[in-house]
Amino acid sequence: MKKNNGLFNPKGIFMRISLIFCVLSTLCLTLSSAAVVKAQYGLDKKIDINLKNTSFPELLKEIERKTGVSFVYTNKETVTTKVSVNDQSKTARAILTPLLKQHDLQAVENGLLVVLRKVEAKVLAQEKPGSIVGYVKDEANNQILPYATVMVKGTNQRAISDMNGYFVLNNINAGKAVLRVTYLGFKAFETTVNVVSGKTNNADLKLTSASNDMKGITITGIRRGESVALNNMRNADNVKYVLSEEQIERFPDATVGEAMQRVPGIAMDYSYGLPRNIIIRGLDQSMGSVTLNGNRLPSTQTNSRDIDLNGILSSTVEAIEVNKTLTPDMEADGTSGSVNIISKTPKIGMKQFQVKGSFGNNFLLGKQNFDGAFNYGERKNKLGYLIGVNYSNTNRGEDRVQKDYDTYEINGVEKLKLSNLELEGSDLNRENIGLQGELSFFPTEKSQVYVRGNYNKFYELQTRGTKSFSIGNYTSETAVTGVNIGSSGTPRDYNRDLFSVSAGAKTTVNNWIGNIDVTYASGLYDQPTYYDGFFNYSGLTANMDMSNPRAPQFAFTNGDPNDASKYLTSNYVNRHQIANDKDIQGSLNIERTFDLSDKNKFKFKFGGRMKYKEDDHTRSYYQYKLKTGTLTMSNFLSDYSREKYFDGNYNLSGAIANGYLMEEYYQNNLNLFSNDENYIRQNTDPDSYNGKENMQAGYVMGKLTLNKLDIITGVRYENTAFEYNGNIVNFSNTGAYVSTNKVAVKSNFNGFFPSLNLKYAVSPRTNFRAAVTKSLSRPGYYDLVPWEEIEPRRKRMKKGNPDLDQATSINYDLLFEHYLKSLGLISGGVFYKNVDNYIYESVYLQQGGQFDQYQVTQTVNGANAHVWGYELAWQQQLTFLPGFLNGFGIYANYTKIQSKFKVPGIVSERTVRLPSMRPKVGNASLSYEKYGFSGRLSLNFYDTFIDELADVQANDLMEKGRVQLDFSASQKINKKFTIFMGISNINNAQTILDFGDGRPNDHKYYSRWANLGFKYNPFYK
């Protein structure tokens, strides 16, 4: 089955026109240049001249009169000696050339205008052009400055230094060249380089901080990081936002997930109070991609392509780029956007040695946290290396109260009432290990060969205590009978490992720039421990207090809910779940820039990528039944206790089982248990699968520079073929397991993905940007697996969908950005996305066939989804304020988003907003940075959104808006030693989910956490 997502529609045609436009523009410029050459007939006109002992200017005037050309020159080009000319029927060029050569002059022709200039003898000899390479650095401390603009004055030749501050200027005329370097936060700098013919000429360019212009605010530390990020954004070909290492450190953010919530247009999906999955412009992580140094990272989750960003420590990162529009040299899988994590690299001319440590406390649990990092690197001439070890051991907690409802008959009237209340307390101990290393060899000034590796391990051990209260009947509005209390202690753990190793090379040969990279990466999700000791105490009656609907209270009128001897069980459950995602990918990119005129140039780039992926998931869920009798909780008690649970509303203590003791008892008494085949097969087989994917991509693109306007356009082609193996599981009319049948499927999807990005530089600090791009979103792994779970007794069916197509989107962006002199930014823009074949989970009734009128749950392609909104951002140091006050700064951003798509539903079709889309997202913070001190009070917020769609609006799950307040500060003791501290969730922000009609459902409480630490860098200058 081949799925073609081509461009056979008006929008697709418009996208292709963008590429044609770029080619035609280049052709027109070339023809225009040719026309100018053709017009330069003036000096080729044959003339007669007879002059004796006349001045050189008089000779030029005579040539002007007879040919129509105009000479431009200064006193430097005037020949002081007398000249004599007696030539008949010779071209003016033939007459003039020997005189010019004799006096070291050169004629530069532009139509009928001839400019005379003095040149060195080597220019007259038409020597080969040379090139200039070097690094842009901060003069104060010799640190490199990435993304600086380096240009040759008087020409269109320019380069942007890379992330290591390195730049290459090719095809520079031999002789003296004046370089001009500009960088936000630094004074413009000019220097003259003597370019030797045919040689590579070195030039290290050192800039001076513009601190005098900013009234005492120096470009060091955090301010330097902000300068790097802003220069990267200003010079980018696409719409992007950049966080530097120094900017990340200004917030109390230990992981990449925490850092991402500070970016404009970004919201995060929280897990146990910490941000985990990224949501860009209202679209969840499944509609975007996360890359490391440009290579797509494998998944560390089950069934999906998502990455748990809690698993990557921010101390391992040099920068994070959020690409909101795509260019053809980027993977097309980025409808929401693309997040590129840049690992640390050795820097030229400096030793990197940093030790970092901190201690903290989680106030919900009263337990301590610890973080430590060690990074060392150096770049010497042809060799560079870096190693880093990062470790974090933190404790997190969550108090969770969940409520469900059902219809009960009370005094002959049916009413929707509370049916179940669950209290689940979680103590989490998390260990993160981040290892990184790089070895680079530089055989020439323009070449690099590298090997780099990254390993991030995220281990989490959860200790949970749970009590659930299930209501049988209501005898009145406040009296209940048939109450069943379920109690369990369920220890479980998670391993999420992310590993990648890359080898590659970059080089410049004869004005062609090429790079090649081969990467192996693997992602692991492993849950080896899940021991569920679940016991029941039934037949209770109670009076209900619903005065606080978010924390209902039971007053039991019979029995003691903390009497462990009353809790019984006849079964035991343990689980093991593991998922592996492995891929190897290779990429090749080649580019060259062509000069079209003094102000116009064209960069041509092409390349491709290949990727082979293997993905598998094994879910082993086991339930063991006692052959005879029951067990009481008395012999399996845990010491789990949370006396002031949920802000003191409950006492979650006593009569909670110990899962470890249950596992030990089962292993020592295997003969007492039998397998529950129905449970095992229903919970294991449908979720176990394996598969392979092959992706091939190629692209061609061009960047046409017309003075202040950059046109970046091209097209990318991607083809993804996949093969998945799953299971169809059948049950009888009585619910008994019947069979498991293996099934396999092969398919593919492909398409062309053109893009057009425009950037108009009104001034060096002001850009207007516009973009029209086409992107894709691939279905999750599990969604493509041909699995089925069929339950005839309930007339229900759940299944995968190998017929799923990739979702594609046409994206429109407009953005204005102005970079402030005081290292700031004011920007605003609008965006619109038209997503075709939107992927979502659907619940529908099967019509006809073997399973007629079955309720089917399946991930499907839906109708078009539309997303639109606007973004505003403002960050500025308030240097215009007097004295002490100019240390204050503002960082703020706000995004408003709307969306809609049609859901068929079981009852009726309805138009809704996209799930997970936060309609309002923003950050606001007030900072103070001066005298070595940096402090920041930060607020992050989002508005109420749909968390999960149901069959009717009243049952939709809605997550209420959330506001979190954080504080961080640091103080330099000296240039090498800094202390810092942070407090997170000062206002005790909670996660609250309600049903669509307002009924409370899920409420999570986290309290606060804080840390205090130091940074030491003995080589900092």
Side-chain angles (χ1 to χ4, degrees):
M1 176 189 62
K2 191 171 185 179
K3 302 174 181 176
N4 292 298
N5 292 306
L7 305 177
F8 303 106
N9 55 71
K11 292 175 182 175
I13 294 172
F14 174 77
M15 300 295 290
R16 284 187 288 177
I17 289 174
S18 65
L19 178 61
I20 297 171
F21 173 76
C22 185
V23 176
L24 291 178
S25 299
T26 306
L27 182 60
C28 289
L29 285 171
T30 305
L31 294 176
S32 175
S33 299
V36 170
V37 173
K38 185 176 180 180
Q40 293 172 355
Y41 57 84
L43 291 181
D44 292 322
K45 185 177 181 179
K46 292 183 178 181
I47 58 175
D48 298 332
I49 290 186
N50 188 1
L51 295 173
K52 291 183 179 180
N53 295 322
T54 189
S55 67
F56 187 67
E58 287 298 324
L59 171 62
L60 297 180
K61 287 180 181 179
E62 183 69 9
I63 295 175
E64 286 180 339
R65 186 177 65 81
K66 292 187 175 184
T67 63
V69 302
S70 296
F71 290 100
V72 176
Y73 55 94
T74 67
N75 290 335
K76 293 181 180 180
E77 289 84 29
T78 300
V79 177
T80 57
T81 58
K82 299 291 183 178
V83 297
S84 297
V85 178
N86 185 10
D87 288 309
Q88 306 297 319
S89 192
K90 278 190 175 181
T91 65
R93 186 185 308 280
I95 296 171
L96 193 60
T97 297
L99 291 172
L100 295 178
K101 187 175 181 180
Q102 180 183 351
H103 295 92
D104 292 339
L105 293 176
Q106 182 185 28
V108 180
E109 302 173 54
N110 187 359
L112 295 177
L113 182 68
V114 181
V115 179
L116 300 183
R117 67 181 186 185
K118 274 282 187 181
V119 295
E120 302 293 335
K122 57 189 175 184
V123 174
L124 295 174
Q126 295 183 346
E127 294 178 301
K128 294 181 179 179
S131 60
I132 304 175
V133 301
Y135 292 86
V136 182
K137 300 179 180 179
D138 184 344
E139 186 177 45
N141 51 33
N142 213 38
Q143 292 188 29
I144 59 96
L145 295 175
Y147 314 111
T149 302
V150 185
M151 64 180 69
V152 181
K153 285 193 70 175
T155 74
N156 72 320
Q157 293 168 300
R158 67 177 62 199
I160 306 298
S161 63
D162 66 14
M163 60 180 295
N164 293 310
Y166 183 71
F167 71 92
V168 177
L169 286 164
N170 289 311
N171 202 32
I172 308 298
N173 289 333
K176 293 181 178 179
V178 178
L179 300 186
R180 178 177 174 83
V181 192
T182 56
Y183 204 78
L184 293 173
F186 288 78
K187 296 178 181 179
F189 172 74
E190 291 187 5
T191 186
T192 300
V193 178
N194 188 27
V195 180
V196 178
S197 172
K199 300 293 184 181
T200 298
N201 305 269
N202 290 292
D204 280 358
L205 311 176
K206 297 188 176 183
L207 307 186
T208 303
S209 166
S211 57
N212 292 336
D213 297 330
M214 293 192 290
K215 304 178 182 179
I217 307 300
T218 57
I219 307 300
T220 59
I222 292 173
R223 301 297 292 167
R224 179 187 176 278
E226 191 167 357
S227 176
V228 171
L230 291 174
N231 278 282
N232 186 351
M233 293 157 58
R234 180 185 63 159
N235 291 315
D237 289 336
N238 61 330
V239 177
K240 69 159 61 172
Y241 192 87
V242 181
L243 279 174
S244 69
E245 174 187 0
E246 294 86 350
Q247 286 176 294
I248 294 170
E249 289 179 348
R250 73 168 62 180
F251 299 101
D253 298 334
T255 68
V256 168
E258 292 177 86
M260 292 305 304
Q261 64 186 335
R262 315 295 178 181
V263 176
I266 298 292
M268 300 299 297
D269 179 29
Y270 286 78
S271 172
Y272 298 101
L274 291 176
R276 177 178 62 183
N277 295 333
I278 186 171
I279 296 163
I280 307 176
R281 290 176 164 178
L283 300 175
D284 62 35
Q285 192 177 124
S286 67
M287 300 192 72
S289 61
V290 179
T291 62
L292 176 65
N293 300 318
N295 293 303
R296 177 72 183 260
L297 286 172
S299 173
T300 55
Q301 305 276 45
T302 61
N303 301 334
S304 74
R305 301 178 190 271
D306 295 346
I307 296 163
D308 189 337
L309 294 177
N310 279 323
I312 305 177
L313 292 171
S314 58
S315 56
T316 67
V317 171
E318 185 165 294
I320 303 173
E321 299 176 330
V322 180
N323 297 289
K324 296 182 178 179
T325 67
L326 305 179
T327 52
D329 54 348
M330 301 167 61
E331 286 200 37
D333 190 1
T335 294
S336 63
S338 172
V339 176
N340 184 37
I341 301 168
I342 300 174
S343 62
K344 292 183 177 181
T345 57
K347 301 294 186 286
I348 185 71
M350 60 178 291
K351 277 188 177 182
Q352 296 168 263
F353 179 55
Q354 185 183 80
V355 178
K356 179 180 177 182
S358 72
F359 299 88
N361 186 72
N362 182 280
F363 293 101
L364 180 66
L365 304 179
K367 294 182 178 180
Q368 285 67 54
N369 302 323
F370 168 76
D371 295 274
F374 166 87
N375 290 280
Y376 181 78
E378 189 176 10
R379 163 82 188 276
K380 284 185 175 181
N381 298 324
K382 294 183 178 297
L383 189 65
Y385 61 89
L386 180 139
I387 56 172
V389 180
N390 305 267
Y391 177 76
S392 172
N393 189 317
T394 60
N395 289 281
R396 300 282 185 246
E398 178 182 273
D399 291 355
R400 181 179 184 183
V401 177
Q402 188 168 10
K403 294 161 283 293
D404 289 303
Y405 303 82
D406 205 346
T407 301
Y408 294 88
E409 185 177 309
I410 304 175
N411 298 325
V413 179
E414 288 191 344
K415 293 187 177 182
L416 190 62
K417 301 287 288 184
L418 179 73
S419 63
N420 191 77
L421 171 70
E422 183 174 270
L423 312 180
E424 181 184 82
S426 299
D427 295 20
L428 288 73
N429 178 250
R430 290 179 165 177
E431 288 187 88
N432 289 72
I433 299 173
L435 305 176
Q436 58 189 126
E438 179 174 323
L439 180 63
S440 290
F441 176 63
F442 301 85
T444 69
E445 297 92 338
K446 300 180 182 180
S447 301
Q448 177 189 6
V449 180
Y450 62 84
V451 177
R452 62 172 66 106
N454 290 270
Y455 175 68
N456 288 274
K457 182 178 183 63
F458 172 26
Y459 174 76
E460 178 177 284
L461 176 62
Q462 295 185 9
T463 302
R464 297 194 302 171
T466 303
K467 279 189 177 179
S468 60
F469 304 84
S470 178
I471 298 172
N473 293 288
Y474 280 78
T475 58
S476 70
E477 293 285 348
T478 59
V480 293
T481 62
V483 179
N484 178 75
I485 304 177
S487 177
S488 67
T490 311
R492 60 179 181 178
D493 63 359
Y494 299 93
N495 289 280
R496 292 182 176 91
D497 294 0
L498 193 60
F499 171 76
S500 71
V501 59
S502 300
K506 305 175 183 177
T507 190
T508 301
V509 178
N510 295 329
N511 300 324
W512 289 90
I513 300 173
N515 66 73
I516 187 170
D517 181 277
V518 177
T519 296
Y520 169 80
S522 64
L524 170 70
Y525 173 99
D526 187 16
Q527 184 190 57
T529 301
Y530 189 110
Y531 307 142
D532 189 6
F534 186 85
F535 291 78
N536 284 287
Y537 182 7
S538 58
L540 297 170
T541 60
N543 292 319
M544 296 288 300
D545 180 359
M546 296 293 295
S547 57
N548 180 359
R550 299 199 177 276
Q553 301 293 322
F554 287 84
F556 289 99
T557 56
N558 69 324
D560 179 5
N562 289 318
D563 184 353
S565 65
K566 300 295 184 181
Y567 288 83
L568 306 174
T569 190
S570 61
N571 58 65
Y572 166 62
V573 170
N574 67 23
R575 305 176 180 177
H576 184 196
Q577 193 169 5
I578 185 169
N580 290 282
D581 188 5
K582 304 174 183 177
D583 51 58
I584 184 168
Q585 51 191 307
S587 63
L588 173 67
N589 302 279
I590 298 175
E591 67 179 77
R592 180 172 179 174
T593 299
F594 300 89
D595 296 327
L596 305 178
S597 68
D598 287 343
K599 294 185 177 181
N600 305 322
K601 62 179 180 178
F602 178 70
K603 181 170 77 173
F604 176 66
K605 186 175 182 180
F606 64 94
R609 178 181 293 272
M610 297 185 68
K611 183 190 300 181
Y612 172 75
K613 174 185 291 293
E614 291 184 353
D615 177 67
D616 64 75
H617 177 223
T618 302
R619 188 184 191 195
S620 302
Y621 278 25
Y622 300 105
Q623 180 167 276
Y624 311 103
K625 288 186 175 182
L626 282 171
K627 295 177 181 177
T628 59
T630 59
L631 298 174
T632 66
M633 194 195 295
S634 301
N635 298 321
F636 302 95
L637 279 174
S638 75
D639 58 358
Y640 187 89
S641 178
R642 196 80 64 79
E643 293 184 359
K644 294 184 178 180
Y645 185 83
F646 200 63
D647 201 23
N649 284 282
Y650 299 98
N651 181 355
L652 188 60
S653 303
I656 295 176
N658 187 324
Y660 289 109
L661 294 179
M662 285 296 296
E663 170 69 10
E664 182 181 348
Y665 181 84
Y666 166 72
Q667 294 294 343
N668 292 333
N669 299 276
L670 296 176
N671 60 311
L672 300 180
F673 293 86
S674 63
N675 292 343
D676 184 342
E677 190 74 6
N678 292 341
Y679 179 94
I680 294 172
R681 298 277 68 86
Q682 184 173 5
N683 291 280
T684 297
D685 295 353
D687 295 87
S688 299
Y689 66 89
N690 63 77
K692 301 175 183 178
E693 290 187 1
N694 283 283
M695 190 272 281
Q696 303 87 33
Y699 73 90
V700 59
M701 64 179 288
K703 178 180 179 180
L704 180 63
T705 299
L706 303 174
N707 197 3
K708 295 183 177 182
L709 175 65
D710 287 341
I711 304 171
I712 304 97
T713 188
V715 65
R716 183 180 186 89
Y717 174 79
E718 289 198 7
N719 177 74
T720 303
F722 61 87
E723 175 183 347
Y724 280 102
N725 303 292
N727 298 305
I728 295 178
V729 187
N730 299 284
F731 296 87
S732 70
N733 290 328
T734 61
Y737 170 71
V738 175
S739 65
T740 297
N741 303 317
K742 295 188 177 299
V743 61
V745 67
K746 293 182 179 180
S747 188
N748 79 306
F749 26 69
N750 53 50
F752 288 93
F753 301 92
S755 64
L756 172 66
N757 283 267
L758 304 176
K759 181 175 75 171
Y760 182 76
V762 179
S763 71
R765 295 182 182 272
T766 305
N767 292 326
F768 278 101
R769 296 180 183 270
V772 183
T773 61
K774 185 177 181 182
S775 58
L776 69 89
S777 302
R778 295 187 182 93
Y781 306 135
Y782 189 50
D783 297 331
L784 293 169
V785 176
W787 67 273
E788 291 181 5
E789 179 186 330
I790 305 167
E791 298 180 89
R793 181 170 61 94
R794 298 181 178 180
K795 298 198 75 172
R796 290 184 180 178
M797 184 177 187
K798 297 179 181 178
K799 61 181 182 177
N801 190 357
D803 291 328
L804 273 174
D805 200 353
Q806 60 189 4
T808 59
S809 176
I810 303 296
N811 315 293
Y812 303 87
D813 289 84
L814 289 173
L815 178 71
F816 165 82
E817 54 187 14
H818 176 69
Y819 296 88
L820 303 171
K821 191 174 183 181
S822 58
L823 274 189
L825 168 67
I826 297 175
S827 68
V830 296
F831 57 89
Y832 171 76
K833 298 177 182 293
N834 183 2
V835 184
D836 190 26
N837 286 323
Y838 181 74
I839 300 170
Y840 72 103
E841 185 177 81
S842 175
V843 180
Y844 61 91
L845 287 179
Q846 177 70 34
Q847 301 296 327
Q850 180 182 357
F851 303 105
D852 184 40
Q853 297 305 303
Y854 272 56
Q855 180 177 303
V856 180
T857 302
Q858 184 183 39
T859 299
V860 300
N861 290 113
N864 281 24
H866 304 270
V867 182
W868 66 96
Y870 64 84
E871 295 176 343
L872 301 172
W874 172 36
Q875 58 188 87
Q876 182 178 10
Q877 197 72 24
L878 305 181
T879 55
F880 53 84
L881 296 176
F884 170 84
L885 297 176
N886 68 23
F888 282 104
I890 298 292
Y891 179 89
N893 54 70
Y894 175 78
T895 303
K896 185 171 182 178
I897 311 168
Q898 290 295 327
S899 66
K900 65 178 183 179
F901 86 113
K902 292 182 179 180
V903 183
I906 291 179
V907 178
S908 63
E909 182 179 85
R910 59 191 179 110
T911 300
V912 299
R913 295 185 306 192
L914 297 180
S916 300
M917 188 215 78
R918 282 73 167 164
K920 298 176 184 176
V921 180
N923 290 276
S925 64
L926 178 67
S927 65
Y928 189 83
E929 295 169 12
K930 203 169 182 180
Y931 311 119
F933 173 82
S934 173
R936 182 170 291 262
L937 186 65
S938 307
L939 181 146
N940 171 265
F941 67 90
Y942 58 79
D943 199 7
T944 300
F945 67 94
I946 300 173
D947 180 75
E948 184 179 313
L949 287 170
D951 52 351
V952 294
Q953 183 177 353
N955 292 329
D956 288 346
L957 281 182
M958 308 291 296
E959 182 171 325
K960 296 180 71 67
R962 185 177 187 272
V963 178
Q964 179 172 318
L965 189 65
D966 305 317
F967 176 75
S968 59
S970 65
Q971 176 65 56
K972 280 185 174 294
I973 306 303
N974 53 46
K975 286 186 176 181
K976 299 178 180 180
F977 191 82
T978 301
I979 58 174
F980 63 87
M981 60 88 66
I983 305 175
S984 297
N985 203 21
I986 295 173
N987 61 324
N988 189 22
Q990 300 160 40
T991 301
I992 303 173
L993 284 85
D994 291 345
F995 288 104
D997 58 7
R999 287 170 292 142
N1001 171 252
D1002 199 356
H1003 196 143
K1004 302 170 184 176
Y1005 178 95
Y1006 310 107
S1007 191
R1008 306 163 186 86
W1009 53 95
N1011 69 327
L1012 175 67
F1014 71 93
K1015 288 188 296 183
Y1016 175 63
N1017 187 345
F1019 300 119
Y1020 186 84
K1021 297 180 181 180

